[in-house]
Amino acid sequence: MNNSEMKTAQTKGLSSMQKRCITAAVYLVVWVGLCALKWTLPGNWGALGFDAAFTAVSVIGCYEFLRAVNRPESGQCTISSPQHTFTMAFCALVVPLHTLVQLTMGAGLLAVACAFTIYVMFLAAASVFDHQKSTVKGTIYCIFCMLYCGVLSTILSSINHLETNSMVAILVLFMSTVLTDTGAFTIGTALKKVLPLKLAPQLSPNKTVIGAIGGLLGGIVGGILAYYTIYIFGGVNGQSIILGSNFSVYLTFSSDKIHPIVSFILVGLATSVMAQIGDLFESAIKRECSVKDMGNCLPGHGGVLDRFDSMLYCSCVVLLCFGTIIV
């Protein structure tokens, strides 16, 4: 048996939990690496790593979504080849377009809105001229895919390029979503026999109300950890505890009516709520399409949308919070 066959056999022998843990460890290493790049490289160069990651989420997520809804056995819809191509092209180009326009003219979201309008027109035209191979329902699915995978990925990129507090916003986004999932799984597993009330039995039979409460607690802990991470290593309003004064990465917080930690608790709570809604919505899509996972590129976790559905949903609330609560 050669090395390749041995590795394949070993991989097949791993349990689902082992695969899940290995994938989570790789995910953590990549995330820490991207944070280090963003934190240390000057200007916007460090942020480009996250932009590349968000582009991958947009493209792979689009592929997974279109494959799920366009399965003949699910009976969902018919999507023509031109529509499929237009949708994939939009999701591949929208994050780089947003980044380029944002860095040069500061109007990234406006460029995304214009590009989205143009692509919708192309989709409509493809539906009209190739109606035998496409349906209205398929066109609507394509438009939704562009919004869900493409536009929400550009919101992630917008967080990545906030003029102030972009680093801490990224920390809140990742820490709160990951700890929401961890808290829901841990507390839900530990107490589901004591408090077995189901959260949404028709969509996800394993999710319980007590698990959802655990997720909320996890989101709050994520917000607190994000605050203390930036407080210790970056500082507040230009004063860094470890790296000295006037370090380029710190929390800018000007409100004198509320303590920053209270704000981060509220942001973590709001993020956790949206993360769980996003997770349930993804479950609804999978149930509608009769698939267990949206993909299989992340062993133990399924596909990209199975892992990043919560984060896509949280993007808008994090961007809103850092424009209103964290100022």
Side-chain angles (χ1 to χ4, degrees):
M1 182 181 292
N2 57 36
N3 292 335
S4 177
E5 291 174 337
M6 289 178 64
K7 290 181 179 178
T8 302
Q10 291 172 356
T11 301
K12 288 182 178 179
L14 295 175
S15 67
S16 177
M17 182 56 67
Q18 288 175 322
K19 292 179 183 178
R20 190 177 182 88
C21 290
I22 292 172
T23 302
V26 174
Y27 173 86
L28 179 62
V29 170
V30 171
W31 177 73
V32 171
L34 292 176
C35 284
L37 285 176
K38 181 174 174 61
W39 200 306
T40 57
L41 291 185
N44 288 293
W45 291 107
L48 296 181
F50 274 114
D51 289 326
F54 297 150
T55 300
V57 170
S58 177
V59 174
I60 300 173
C62 175
Y63 172 78
E64 291 176 350
F65 183 89
L66 292 180
R67 184 180 61 177
V69 300
N70 200 33
R71 294 166 65 248
E73 57 268 31
S74 68
Q76 287 301 303
C77 62
T78 302
I79 298 174
S80 66
S81 294
Q83 287 181 318
H84 192 283
T85 301
F86 288 143
T87 307
M88 287 291 297
F90 175 85
C91 290
L93 297 175
V94 66
V95 175
L97 173 67
H98 170 270
T99 301
L100 178 63
V101 176
Q102 183 66 29
L103 295 181
T104 55
M105 294 183 287
L109 290 179
L110 177 61
V112 170
C114 293
F116 177 76
T117 303
I118 293 170
Y119 269 89
V120 168
M121 292 178 180
F122 274 107
L123 282 174
S127 177
V128 170
F129 292 107
D130 197 13
H131 189 65
Q132 291 182 344
K133 296 182 180 179
S134 62
T135 61
V136 174
K137 189 176 182 179
T139 304
I140 293 173
Y141 269 121
C142 287
I143 294 172
F144 177 79
C145 180
M146 289 159 56
L147 284 169
Y148 184 40
C149 301
V151 174
L152 289 185
S153 293
T154 66
I155 301 298
L156 293 174
S157 181
S158 295
I159 296 171
N160 188 35
H161 291 284
L162 285 170
E163 292 185 9
T164 59
N165 297 327
S166 66
M167 186 69 246
V168 68
I170 290 289
L171 291 176
V172 170
L173 179 69
F174 278 80
M175 288 182 174
S176 289
T177 52
V178 169
L179 289 178
T180 293
D181 185 44
T182 303
F185 177 79
T186 303
I187 295 180
T189 302
L191 300 178
K192 65 180 180 180
K193 293 183 178 180
V194 180
L195 298 168
L197 182 63
K198 302 294 184 181
L199 180 65
Q202 293 182 342
L203 296 179
S204 186
N206 293 326
K207 287 183 172 60
T208 60
V209 173
I210 190 63
I213 295 173
L216 294 178
L217 294 175
I220 291 172
V221 171
I224 295 173
L225 285 178
Y227 170 75
Y228 279 107
T229 299
I230 202 74
Y231 179 76
I232 293 172
F233 295 101
V236 177
N237 295 331
Q239 299 298 317
S240 174
I241 296 176
I242 291 180
L243 300 172
S245 61
N246 298 320
F247 187 63
S248 59
V249 179
Y250 53 84
L251 171 65
T252 299
F253 191 88
S254 59
S255 175
D256 57 355
K257 298 180 180 180
I258 186 172
H259 193 276
I261 192 65
V262 177
S263 297
F264 276 78
I265 288 173
L266 294 175
V267 174
L269 178 62
T271 303
S272 179
V273 171
M274 292 305 296
Q276 296 190 65
I277 293 175
D279 192 36
L280 287 173
F281 178 72
E282 187 71 17
S283 297
I285 293 175
K286 290 188 286 188
R287 183 167 291 274
E288 186 77 13
C289 297
S290 301
V291 296
K292 182 179 183 295
D293 294 315
M294 296 298 284
N296 55 11
C297 61
L298 300 174
H301 292 263
V304 164
L305 286 181
D306 296 298
R307 177 69 271 174
F308 289 92
D309 52 355
S310 299
M311 194 172 297
L312 288 170
Y313 246 72
C314 291
S315 60
C316 293
V317 72
V318 170
L319 184 62
L320 178 63
C321 286
F322 274 84
T324 55
I325 298 177
I326 310 295
V327 292

